[in-house]
């Protein structure tokens, strides 16, 4: 099962992608996580990506596409995967489709987690990420057992630099301009499913499971 998560920054793509990956036993591939790991490790890719991410801009397609195509060709992806944060532009979607078509494969579902902009800014200011393992929480909606300590690895939690309100607004604009057209793209391919992302995390997940089949 090959699944793409679509939605604005903060819509809950990552939260749902992790739950899907766990339930269906397939890898969760987050391009944002891959970039953040590269930044942490000081790689050339990380240095390049950071200059765009800090400004709330997309990393250029040529730095993203090969990375994802290589990743989905790895052995653990044989039974499918859930892509979170990719594709984010029409050229990325076309490149993915072409790479898959060359292998006789295709995307099965594009799930659009729909949350209005008004809710997003509020949500993002409460998002906390673990500096060590990347786990994501929310101070109100998905709190940790102990304040500011990761449940999974005891790491420290931070507010991502790009989750500050100024940058969130910028990212929302970029989303509407460059990523939202993918909704039409996948609607035309008849694989788009829209879910209401404003309900509770478990309610959103139940809706997705109904779409994917148990
Ligand atoms: P969010 O979870 O809030 O949607 P991500 O963690 O997916 O954010 O992405 C963080 C940043 O990484 C993006 O704002 C962008 O700069 C960069 N990025 C991630 N995925 C892509 C992609 N597919 N194309 C271009 N840039 C990307
Ligand atoms: P994305 O990957 O789309 O950027 P995340 O999954 O990181 O979004 O979610 C953004 C923030 O909102 C996180 O702090 C997360 O815990 C919280 N969140 C996710 N889904 C919901 C939901 N359905 N209701 C309330 N908060 C949510
Ligand atoms: Zn952690």
């Amino acid at each position: 099962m090959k699944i793409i998560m679509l939605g604005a920054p903060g819509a809950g793509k990552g939260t749902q992608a992790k739950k899907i990956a766990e339930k269906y036993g397939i890898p969760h591939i987050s391009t944002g996580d891959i970039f953040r790991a590269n930044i942490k490790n000081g790689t050339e890719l990380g240095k390049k990506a950071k200059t765009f991410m800090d400004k709330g801009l997309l990393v250029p397609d040529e730095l993203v596409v090969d990375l994802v195509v290589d990743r989905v060709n790895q052995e653990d992806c044989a039974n499918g995967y859930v892509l979170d944060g990719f594709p984010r532009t029409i050229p990325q979607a076309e490149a993915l489709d072409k790479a898959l078509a060359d292998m006789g494969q295709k995307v099965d579902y594009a799930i659009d987690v729909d949350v209005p902009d008004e809710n997003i800014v509020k949500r993002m200011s409460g998002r906390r990420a673990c500096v060590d393992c990347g786990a994501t929480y929310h101070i109100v909606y998905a709190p940790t057992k102990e304040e500011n300590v990761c449940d999974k690895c005891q790491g420290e939690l931070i507010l991502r630099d790009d989750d500050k309100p100024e940058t969130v607004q910028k990212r929302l604009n970029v989303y509407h301009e460059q990523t939202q057209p993918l909704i039409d793209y996948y609607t035309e391919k008849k694989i788009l499913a829209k879910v209401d992302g404003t309900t509770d995390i478990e309610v959103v997940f139940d809706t997705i499971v109904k779409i994917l089949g148990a």
Side-chain angles (χ1 to χ4, degrees):
M1 191 150 50
K2 300 184 191 64
I3 304 163
I4 285 172
M5 303 303 292
L6 293 176
K13 301 180 297 296
T15 300
Q16 298 300 328
K18 280 177 200 148
K19 292 170 77 69
I20 294 169
E22 200 178 313
K23 179 171 169 77
Y24 295 93
I26 52 178
H28 165 217
I29 302 172
S30 156
T31 42
D33 286 352
I34 295 172
F35 287 136
R36 282 184 290 276
N38 274 275
I39 292 172
K40 198 171 160 193
N41 295 329
T43 69
E44 276 312 307
L45 174 66
K47 282 179 200 152
K48 281 187 201 151
K50 189 175 186 328
T51 61
F52 297 94
M53 291 166 74
D54 282 350
K55 293 188 194 119
L57 298 172
L58 294 184
V59 175
D61 291 339
E62 57 271 25
L63 294 182
V64 190
V65 169
D66 291 351
L67 186 130
V68 174
V69 171
D70 286 348
R71 180 67 189 86
V72 300
N73 273 309
Q74 284 169 24
E75 226 169 274
D76 64 330
C77 289
N79 290 326
Y81 40 82
V82 48
L83 284 178
D84 162 18
F86 182 94
R88 261 181 156 98
T89 64
I90 295 279
Q92 288 181 16
E94 288 171 347
L96 176 67
D97 279 348
K98 182 171 184 315
L100 291 179
D102 288 347
M103 299 184 282
Q105 301 176 2
K106 61 174 180 52
V107 176
D108 299 302
Y109 298 94
I111 298 175
D112 174 30
V113 184
D114 187 36
V115 177
D117 287 11
E118 307 83 89
N119 302 34
I120 296 285
V121 182
K122 234 183 286 164
R123 229 187 233 189
M124 297 299 244
S125 59
R127 172 155 70 178
R128 295 292 179 273
C130 172
V131 280
D132 292 328
C133 76
T136 303
Y137 302 92
H138 191 283
I139 52 175
V140 178
Y141 306 118
T144 46
K145 293 195 187 79
E146 199 182 327
E147 203 176 317
N148 265 321
V149 179
C150 178
D151 285 350
K152 298 199 176 76
C153 79
Q154 309 296 306
E156 185 200 346
L157 303 187
I158 53 153
L159 173 68
R160 268 165 50 180
D161 271 342
D162 62 346
D163 279 352
K164 308 224 159 101
E166 323 75 88
T167 316
V168 170
Q169 192 51 57
K170 184 77 204 276
R171 289 163 65 202
L172 277 171
N173 297 343
V174 168
Y175 167 76
H176 290 300
E177 267 168 41
Q178 302 193 57
T179 307
Q180 212 170 12
L182 292 177
I183 293 177
D184 286 343
Y185 181 91
Y186 289 112
T187 302
E188 275 163 33
K189 296 200 180 290
K190 303 197 182 347
I191 57 168
L192 188 92
K194 191 185 187 112
V195 302
D196 178 358
T198 63
T199 57
D200 285 355
I201 292 173
E202 293 304 328
V203 175
V204 178
F205 186 57
D206 286 347
T207 313
I208 292 176
V209 169
K210 287 202 184 87
I211 292 163
L212 301 177

